Amino acid sequence: MLDVLVYLYETYWRPDACPDHAQLTRKLSAVGFESEEIKEALSWLDGLAASANAYQGTQGPHSLRVYSQAELNHLGEPSVGFISFLESAGVLPPPMREMVIDRAMVVPGEPLDLEDLKIIVLMVFWSRGQEPDALILDELFVAPEDRLIH
């Protein structure tokens, strides 16, 4: 499913540039994605659109997030730490943080792989028509061992 999301991010600059689900399903099938994987990705995107509406205005800029035990177990320590890092850097406001957590909780696997969380973060930015700044893109895509230290 996440491979489909990455393909959509790379192919369509914004969600409104995507064709309707039926046409998108045909295009993704033609590219070689499995039908179940496509169905899961489209369902995940529908949930992303719903969460964008659900979390608008529900959190103040100084809100504090307390994770439930189920969230901690599913996300894992590296993912919770990465979300906290993005918040403290001022690039992930509370409504977007909630969208990330909401969408991460429906991805199978426990704990969630940090690389999978990074794709989710990227898709949340994409869904809002925003591109993270270059430093955040570096955090999302460049492995720590490949970074150049100046």
Side-chain angles (χ1 to χ4, degrees):
M1 173 191 73
L2 293 172
D3 290 336
V4 174
L5 297 176
V6 170
Y7 177 83
L8 292 175
Y9 178 84
E10 292 174 344
T11 306
Y12 301 100
W13 288 98
R14 295 184 324 257
D16 58 354
C18 290
D20 63 61
H21 278 9
Q23 186 178 5
L24 187 57
T25 298
R26 286 191 300 276
K27 285 184 176 205
L28 292 169
S29 291
V31 172
F33 291 108
E34 299 291 326
S35 63
E36 187 61 31
E37 192 177 22
I38 295 168
K39 187 190 319 182
E40 288 174 4
L42 294 179
S43 175
W44 190 91
L45 285 172
D46 289 341
L48 180 60
S51 72
N53 296 328
Y55 294 113
Q56 290 303 71
T58 60
Q59 304 277 321
H62 303 292
S63 67
L64 175 66
R65 180 59 153 91
V66 178
Y67 292 88
S68 71
Q69 191 59 51
E71 290 170 333
L72 290 171
N73 292 341
H74 186 77
L75 295 172
E77 191 175 314
S79 293
V80 171
F82 189 71
I83 292 169
S84 296
F85 162 73
L86 292 176
E87 279 187 283
S88 66
V91 297
L92 192 66
M96 288 177 73
R97 173 198 63 214
E98 294 305 313
M99 290 172 65
V100 168
I101 295 168
D102 177 72
R103 296 291 76 210
M105 291 301 291
V106 298
V107 174
E110 196 170 285
L112 183 68
D113 186 279
L114 180 58
E115 297 307 310
D116 292 347
L117 178 78
K118 290 178 178 184
I119 293 169
I120 292 167
V121 170
L122 189 64
M123 293 307 293
V124 168
F125 276 97
W126 178 79
S127 74
R128 306 283 301 260
Q130 300 175 10
E131 185 169 320
D133 66 29
L135 293 174
I136 297 305
L137 283 174
D138 186 53
E139 285 294 328
L140 291 172
F141 289 113
V142 179
E145 61 272 8
D146 294 337
R147 288 198 180 101
L148 295 176
I149 300 174
H150 298 281

